[in-house]
Amino acid sequence: MDAIISVRGLTHVYSPNTPFEQVAIKDINLDIYKGEIIGVIGHTGSGKSTLISHLNGLIKPAAGTVTFNGENIWKSKEFTHSIRFKVGLVFQYPEYQLFEETVYRDIAFGPTNMGLKEDEIRGRVADAIRFVGLKPDILEKSPFSLSGGQKRRVAIAGVIAMMPDVLILDEPTAGLDPRGRADIINHVKAYNKSTGLSVVLVTHNMEDIAQTVDRIIVLKKGEIMMTGGTSEVFSRGKELEAAGLAVPQITQVANRLFDAGLNISTSVYTVEQLKNELLSLGGARK
Amino acid sequence: MIRDITLGQYFPGDTIIHRLDPRVKITLTMLYIIILFMINGPIPYLIMTVFLSVAIYLSKINLRLIFKGLRPILILLVFTTMLNIFYTQGGTVLLNIGFVTVTTHGIYMAFFIILRLILLISVSFVMLTYTTSPIMLTDGLESLLGPFKKLKFPAHELAMMMTIALRFIPTLMEETDRIMSAQKSRGADFETGSILKRAKALIPVLIPLFIGAFRRAEELAIAMECRCYRGGQGRTRLRVLVLDKKDYAVTILTLAVFAISIVMSYTIVWGVITR
């Protein structure tokens, strides 16, 4: 299967040639395939945000390339601009970017910039608002009158309305209550299922990652420290802790049980998996 | 990118220039600027230039940063040069095309005006923004304005406002950067089109930015009240500014240099410039 986005040898340095020079990311290689959900985790300052800003052409690589369906996203100015619509990027605290008078017009901002027709925009806004789980009557309200969780969803809808092929979410659940978190994560999962778009989820919340993604990339000090399937990465808890990260709570429980002498796998990351592990153990004892 | 703007940027260091009392730095910088407008003749300007060069050398500030700081006034510099070259008459005529006349005197004037502007900007960069932390700067200013408190002048409040303003410059820059990136991700285009179109394109940036600034202001006000801030009355300081030997030495030395420049400007006749 061909990768939809390919990153090769990507390096970026902030404020080069000044006392504040800082290498943000170094020699990153990465492929994103159609339809998958990838988790990118890393400690604060590990280069997560810098990496994703390269994926839709906001930052020009200092070295290395980013390709979309095999074409370099910097091959022409127009192409870079069009990539922004194909790779939808939702920043951290996206509710702080709302600016229009009504929710409808804010969500329509992206599609309008794409040059779509009024009917098409109307349809997309309606779809987007449904995908993020909001009622259509919210469309005529001012975005500033909404609650925090609603604002966040409106902002995400603003990106979804562009119908990107890849959706990148930077800390989409930061600062939300457990209910709001679950809502957003579930809607993203459902959206991925129904449309088959690729999702990149950037977070340092391990619980979000455990429930959602197919594959994990761990960043440490601007480099890829490890990458692999969810259970594979979470079975290397010690290394993750050394990078300032934790494993999901249920994996921690499994690790403690293992240390206490139970012969179970420590690569579990959902309650269901641990339950099965423990039940199989009981079966063996009989 | 916007984060590369050096406006109001402090470069930490531990040189003698960094360690000088901020009050000394503010006073001497202001004096330097005043003197710049009082002197004339090549030697006094040379003295002032050498003096600043020594200060730059001592502060270990990269020259490139100073040029970077000068870049915003480049247009002003070019404009002033033009005006001075074309409108100053006297001396030998070098060039005469129609109504444009370039004379030696004009070039001479232009050169010194430019030098004056460059020195003026660089001295405030080197002595104040680049080498003095914003907190020291406002502390120094408050202390210098202290005597006016008796005249009901709100020195402390003014200094506090300055501190807050300086403190929020980088934050707001970063926020602008982030909002611009976010709107660009939704296809906003800030780089092409007519001036009107580009100005309109900034609305999606400015509105969230203002809302964010008001939000921050409110949060800060609450945080300050929670810590019982009541203005300057009866407030003590963690760091009390004290003048020591090096401050006195630098002051005396600087004043001597200034005095020499002035004396030379008014006692020696410098040919062309004094006519």
Side-chain angles (χ1 to χ4, degrees):
Chain A
M1 194 162 57
D2 284 335
I4 189 158
I5 294 181
S6 284
V7 175
R8 290 289 173 270
L10 188 66
T11 297
H12 190 76
V13 183
Y14 279 119
S15 309
N17 306 321
T18 71
F20 303 106
E21 184 174 300
Q22 199 191 352
V23 178
I25 48 174
K26 205 160 73 190
D27 198 23
I28 300 270
N29 295 302
L30 167 72
D31 285 309
I32 297 167
Y33 298 99
K34 197 168 160 35
E36 70 173 344
I37 306 187
I38 298 191
V40 176
I41 57 177
H43 201 246
T44 313
S46 59
K48 292 172 296 189
S49 297
T50 311
L51 172 63
I52 57 170
S53 295
H54 280 89
L55 299 184
N56 76 339
L58 282 176
I59 306 181
K60 196 166 185 170
T65 55
V66 180
T67 55
F68 182 85
N69 281 336
E71 288 177 277
N72 189 329
I73 63 167
W74 286 95
K75 73 173 184 184
S76 75
K77 217 175 161 181
E78 291 71 31
F79 191 64
T80 310
H81 191 70
S82 72
I83 282 298
R84 309 253 164 91
F85 304 123
K86 295 192 178 119
V87 182
L89 177 51
V90 181
F91 275 83
Q92 220 168 341
Y93 297 105
E95 58 272 30
Y96 293 150
Q97 302 138 21
L98 301 174
F99 70 99
E100 275 287 9
E101 286 165 48
T102 64
V103 170
Y104 176 85
R105 286 175 61 173
D106 211 288
I107 297 176
F109 182 67
T112 309
N113 286 329
M114 294 170 81
L116 297 175
K117 288 207 180 67
E118 190 61 42
D119 294 351
E120 171 80 17
I121 293 176
R122 199 171 294 280
R124 285 189 173 204
V125 172
D127 285 347
I129 205 80
R130 193 162 41 80
F131 270 128
V132 295
L134 291 172
K135 293 207 175 70
D137 62 343
I138 212 169
L139 287 174
E140 292 315 312
K141 289 188 183 159
S142 159
F144 302 106
S145 67
L146 307 179
S147 75
Q150 287 175 320
K151 278 187 196 170
R152 173 102 29 120
R153 287 195 227 177
V154 167
I156 294 174
V159 173
I160 285 181
M162 302 190 304
M163 296 177 103
D165 295 335
V166 180
L167 180 65
I168 306 174
L169 299 143
D170 191 356
E171 297 279 1
T173 60
L176 293 183
D177 56 30
R179 174 83 183 277
R181 300 182 99 92
D183 271 355
I184 289 203
I185 291 296
N186 289 336
H187 281 111
V188 167
K189 268 159 80 175
Y191 187 55
N192 162 268
K193 272 232 170 62
S194 68
T195 61
L197 92 172
S198 316
V199 175
V200 178
L201 186 65
V202 180
T203 179
H204 49 231
N205 184 302
M206 296 305 142
E207 315 302 325
D208 288 353
I209 287 272
Q211 295 166 28
T212 323
V213 308
D214 308 318
R215 194 153 72 86
I216 297 181
I217 289 158
V218 185
L219 285 181
K220 186 186 174 188
K221 290 185 182 148
E223 290 178 85
I224 293 183
M225 186 181 110
M226 58 172 112
T227 167
T230 312
S231 58
E232 191 186 334
V233 168
F234 283 143
S235 66
R236 294 161 73 182
K238 292 273 181 317
E239 289 164 73
L240 283 176
E241 272 163 31
L245 298 162
V247 291
Q249 286 169 357
I250 201 71
T251 313
Q252 290 178 28
V253 170
N255 279 329
R256 294 282 278 278
L257 289 173
F258 181 80
D259 289 343
L262 285 185
N263 186 20
I264 56 167
S265 160
T266 53
S267 63
V268 297
Y269 52 87
T270 62
V271 177
E272 192 67 18
Q273 286 171 348
L274 182 60
K275 189 186 95 185
N276 290 337
E277 277 291 321
L278 289 173
L279 284 176
S280 72
L281 202 66
R285 196 175 285 165
K286 268 180 215 165
Chain B
M1 220 180 209
I2 206 158
R3 76 180 85 223
D4 290 330
I5 293 175
T6 49
L7 176 92
Q9 177 119 258
Y10 167 59
F11 295 93
D14 192 33
T15 70
I16 178 155
I17 306 282
H18 284 86
R19 286 197 307 265
L20 273 183
D21 190 289
R23 290 168 297 177
V24 170
K25 283 205 247 187
I26 296 171
T27 318
L28 291 182
T29 305
M30 276 168 66
L31 215 58
Y32 185 95
I33 292 171
I34 295 169
I35 304 272
L36 271 184
F37 285 91
M38 290 169 67
I39 57 172
N40 57 44
I43 304 277
Y45 271 106
L46 188 67
I47 293 174
M48 295 302 264
T49 312
V50 170
F51 178 78
L52 187 63
S53 310
V54 172
I56 294 172
Y57 175 75
L58 287 176
S59 70
K60 291 189 183 146
I61 293 285
N62 195 331
L63 265 184
R64 218 172 330 145
L65 286 173
I66 297 184
F67 290 129
K68 221 169 149 191
L70 286 172
R71 210 180 296 153
I73 62 153
L74 199 68
I75 294 170
L76 183 73
L77 287 179
V78 172
F79 196 64
T80 334
T81 319
M82 293 299 189
L83 279 183
N84 274 285
I85 288 181
F86 297 142
Y87 288 95
T88 314
Q89 303 302 322
T92 321
V93 176
L94 292 176
L95 189 71
N96 197 343
I97 310 164
F99 61 95
V100 180
T101 318
V102 178
T103 65
T104 47
H105 198 153
I107 290 182
Y108 193 87
M109 284 295 279
F111 176 75
F112 281 106
I113 292 275
I114 288 206
L115 186 62
R116 190 181 275 171
L117 280 174
I118 290 177
L119 290 179
L120 190 152
I121 302 287
S122 326
V123 75
S124 18
F125 272 130
V126 173
M127 295 300 287
L128 301 178
T129 46
Y130 284 175
T131 63
T132 321
S133 72
I135 293 190
M136 290 297 262
L137 207 60
T138 42
D139 274 4
L141 209 66
E142 185 181 345
S143 168
L144 284 174
L145 292 172
F148 295 103
K149 273 185 192 160
K150 293 218 168 57
L151 303 169
K152 301 246 163 164
F153 183 80
H156 169 80
E157 283 70 15
L158 204 72
M160 179 57 82
M161 283 195 276
M162 264 187 67
T163 312
I164 293 171
L166 286 170
R167 155 70 184 75
F168 276 100
I169 288 175
T171 311
L172 289 179
M173 291 259 199
E174 218 171 85
E175 186 142 318
T176 313
D177 213 29
R178 201 169 38 229
I179 297 171
M180 280 178 93
S181 297
Q183 307 299 26
K184 266 196 219 162
S185 299
R186 293 205 276 163
D189 183 0
F190 305 110
E191 278 128 32
T192 56
S194 64
I195 290 180
L196 192 73
K197 199 180 151 226
R198 270 191 255 183
K200 263 174 107 176
L202 282 179
I203 293 175
V205 176
L206 292 179
I207 290 176
L209 190 64
F210 277 117
I211 290 170
F214 283 123
R215 182 170 41 83
R216 279 176 205 284
E218 200 181 336
E219 281 168 8
L220 182 68
I222 291 170
M224 284 168 87
E225 266 176 26
C226 286
R227 286 186 272 171
C228 304
Y229 177 77
R230 293 179 302 132
Q233 219 148 37
R235 196 171 150 86
T236 55
R237 320 195 136 270
L238 177 62
R239 259 166 285 133
V240 180
L241 296 174
V242 185
L243 294 173
D244 64 13
K245 272 187 205 138
K246 74 173 177 309
D247 295 311
Y248 289 114
V250 168
T251 311
I252 292 169
L253 204 76
T254 311
L255 289 179
V257 172
F258 289 173
I260 294 171
S261 303
I262 294 213
V263 169
M264 287 180 101
S265 305
Y266 289 97
T267 52
I268 304 174
V269 178
W270 302 105
V272 63
I273 201 160
T274 45
R275 261 172 278 190

